[in-house]
Amino acid sequence: MSTTQSDRLRALLEPLVAAQDLDLEEIEMSKAGKRRMLRIIVDSDEGVELDTCAELSRVVSEALDESDVMGDDEYVLEVSSPGADRPLTEHRHYVRAIGRLAKFQLVAEGDKGEELIARILDVDDEGMDLEVPGVKGRKATARRIAFADIAKARVEIEFNRKDKKEEEA
């Protein structure tokens, strides 16, 4: 997707997405056979429901039909929320992941940085407080990391974690 087309798409889509109280996370354009695929990824602090994606898809489709930003070629429009395994790249991503387990690749001075799996407890402007699970019967430990020390981060999917309601019962 050309920078000009990308900028025009973003200018058209951002107000429509914001009107639904969502954040525009990503715009992807790819080929799907002879057609183009326009994928719009949105999110919010509360997550995104399927009905919200469907309504936004209708609004975006109408706006795209009324504009010339996609040209005359056919395309398929997909509006969705980010996957559970998407990278954490923005401050708001870390805030939304509070309480979740995440895998961090830390910046290193050598070849490879430290890899850390920890639960995000709190996030501020400089970094975050983590709980590093104990290994082999040891207690969990607290750790603080700065955003500047993170090379990559991604939420870890947990299949066996008890819900807070279950823990309180």
Side-chain angles (χ1 to χ4, degrees):
M1 178 166 47
S2 71
T3 303
T4 305
Q5 184 182 28
S6 176
D7 293 342
R8 291 180 62 209
L9 271 169
R10 186 162 290 280
L12 177 70
L13 298 175
E14 278 184 330
L16 302 174
V17 171
Q20 299 279 339
D21 293 323
L22 299 171
D23 296 317
L24 180 59
E25 294 290 344
E26 198 171 334
I27 301 170
E28 299 174 356
M29 180 75 79
S30 61
K31 284 280 198 188
K34 293 182 180 182
R35 293 185 182 166
R36 294 175 296 162
M37 168 74 83
L38 174 61
R39 180 173 290 122
I40 300 166
I41 310 294
V42 296
D43 202 3
S44 78
D45 291 344
E46 294 79 36
V48 182
E49 294 185 6
L50 188 57
D51 290 343
T52 305
C53 284
E55 174 60 27
L56 182 59
S57 181
R58 283 189 286 277
V59 170
V60 166
S61 181
E62 288 174 12
L64 290 171
D65 288 348
E66 292 172 5
S67 79
D68 65 345
V69 72
M70 291 299 291
D72 294 330
D73 295 338
E74 292 184 20
Y75 64 92
V76 174
L77 173 64
E78 179 183 299
V79 176
S80 67
S81 61
D85 64 343
R86 70 120 181 251
L88 302 174
T89 57
E90 302 285 334
H91 184 271
R92 68 177 178 265
H93 297 164
Y94 292 99
V95 171
R96 290 175 185 159
I98 290 176
R100 309 274 312 266
L101 200 62
K103 183 177 189 177
F104 300 91
Q105 183 72 42
L106 301 180
V107 175
E109 292 159 20
D111 289 344
K112 188 175 179 185
E114 176 187 359
E115 191 170 276
L116 172 68
I117 296 178
R119 190 164 311 282
I120 300 173
L121 300 178
D122 193 29
V123 177
D124 59 32
D125 291 340
E126 287 81 37
M128 66 194 82
D129 296 319
L130 306 173
E131 178 184 73
V132 181
V135 179
K136 297 182 182 177
R138 294 184 182 156
K139 283 188 167 187
T141 58
R143 182 162 176 185
R144 172 103 180 141
I145 58 173
F147 289 119
D149 295 334
I150 301 170
K152 291 192 278 188
R154 181 179 307 272
V155 168
E156 287 284 285
I157 299 172
E158 296 179 85
F159 293 106
N160 59 352
R161 182 171 185 219
K162 289 184 180 177
D163 195 357
K164 286 189 183 228
K165 293 176 187 173
E166 291 177 34
E167 289 175 1
E168 293 170 359

